[in-house]
Amino acid sequence: YKIILLKLSGEALMGDRQYGIDPQRLAEYAEEIKQIHDKGVEIAIVIGGGNIFRGVAGASNGMDRVQGDYMGMLATVINGMALQGALEGMQTRLQTALKIEAIAEPYIKRRATRHLEKGRIVIFGAGTGNPYFTTDTAAVLRGIEVGADVILKGTRVDGVYTSDPEKNADAVKFDFISFEDV
């Protein structure tokens, strides 16, 4: 593949911890990303925030859903910063769907594409910038926008399903799914 979109769940960053970021797991991700990058592959990354905060869970405990989703978006920015730090020494850019100029560039499609063309790893934070959408949705959207050949998903679930298989035993796994199917 020439361009890949890697979707990493925030929960995967926890390693064996209950929450937060496991520095060893983060270093392992960084090394794997570096190995792929060293082969000349352009890499864009969407990272989740479930290791820090999950908006839906907050909403189920009485919090306003929109407020909870924005808190989740900020959690993805924290994870993006951590991953960018772990990739130290490599050319990276953190872009966010929310304006946070002190720590990241705003997401601009043409700028993201240009960074990839120059061999920089682009990390996308804050999901789509809209409540009610998951970072999986952001991964598909950003993948299409930057012309990714494939979306690779690093998560606790072993594929793409019709719904969350950890919550729904009737969820059906897709053996193959294309951008057109989405």
Side-chain angles (χ1 to χ4, degrees), residues 6 29-37 43 45 87 121:
L6 177 60
Y29 271 157
E31 181 55 35
E32 291 172 2
I33 291 166
K34 182 182 183 323
Q35 288 175 16
I36 296 167
H37 185 264
I43 304 172
I45 302 168
L87 291 167
I121 297 169

Side-chain angles (χ1 to χ4, degrees), residues 75-91:
T76 72
V77 175
I78 291 168
N79 285 339
M81 292 173 67
L83 182 59
Q84 186 177 36
L87 291 167
E88 195 64 42
M90 300 189 72
Q91 292 284 323

Side-chain angles (χ1 to χ4, degrees), residues 57-123:
S60 69
N61 290 318
M63 179 180 290
D64 176 73
R65 170 66 191 268
V66 172
Q67 197 76 2
D69 282 354
Y70 278 112
M71 292 170 70
M73 287 180 228
L74 293 174
T76 72
V77 175
I78 291 168
N79 285 339
M81 292 173 67
L83 182 59
Q84 186 177 36
L87 291 167
E88 195 64 42
M90 300 189 72
Q91 292 284 323
T92 63
R93 294 295 185 272
L94 174 59
Q95 292 193 336
T96 64
L98 300 174
K99 290 185 179 181
I100 313 174
E101 292 91 351
I103 57 173
E105 296 178 359
Y107 170 71
I108 299 171
K109 182 236 181 263
R110 288 178 187 262
R111 186 180 287 176
T113 301
R114 186 70 180 128
H115 287 320
L116 290 169
E117 289 169 351
K118 289 185 173 187
R120 298 175 183 138
I121 297 169
V122 180
I123 303 165

Side-chain angles (χ1 to χ4, degrees), residues 92-162:
T92 63
R93 294 295 185 272
L94 174 59
Q95 292 193 336
T96 64
L98 300 174
K99 290 185 179 181
I100 313 174
E101 292 91 351
I103 57 173
E105 296 178 359
Y107 170 71
I108 299 171
K109 182 236 181 263
R110 288 178 187 262
R111 186 180 287 176
T113 301
R114 186 70 180 128
H115 287 320
L116 290 169
E117 289 169 351
K118 289 185 173 187
R120 298 175 183 138
I121 297 169
V122 180
I123 303 165
F124 299 117
T128 67
N130 300 290
Y132 298 101
F133 291 93
T134 68
T135 51
D136 286 351
T137 303
V140 172
L141 177 63
R142 298 295 180 243
I144 292 168
E145 289 174 329
V146 301
D149 299 309
V150 67
I151 296 174
L152 304 173
K153 189 174 178 201
T155 182
R156 296 184 321 195
V157 179
D158 67 346
V160 178
Y161 288 79
T162 54

Side-chain angles (χ1 to χ4, degrees), residues 1-13:
Y1 300 110
K2 181 179 185 283
I3 305 170
I4 66 168
L5 186 294
L6 177 60
K7 170 34 172 95
L8 298 175
S9 75
E11 288 146 333
L13 292 177

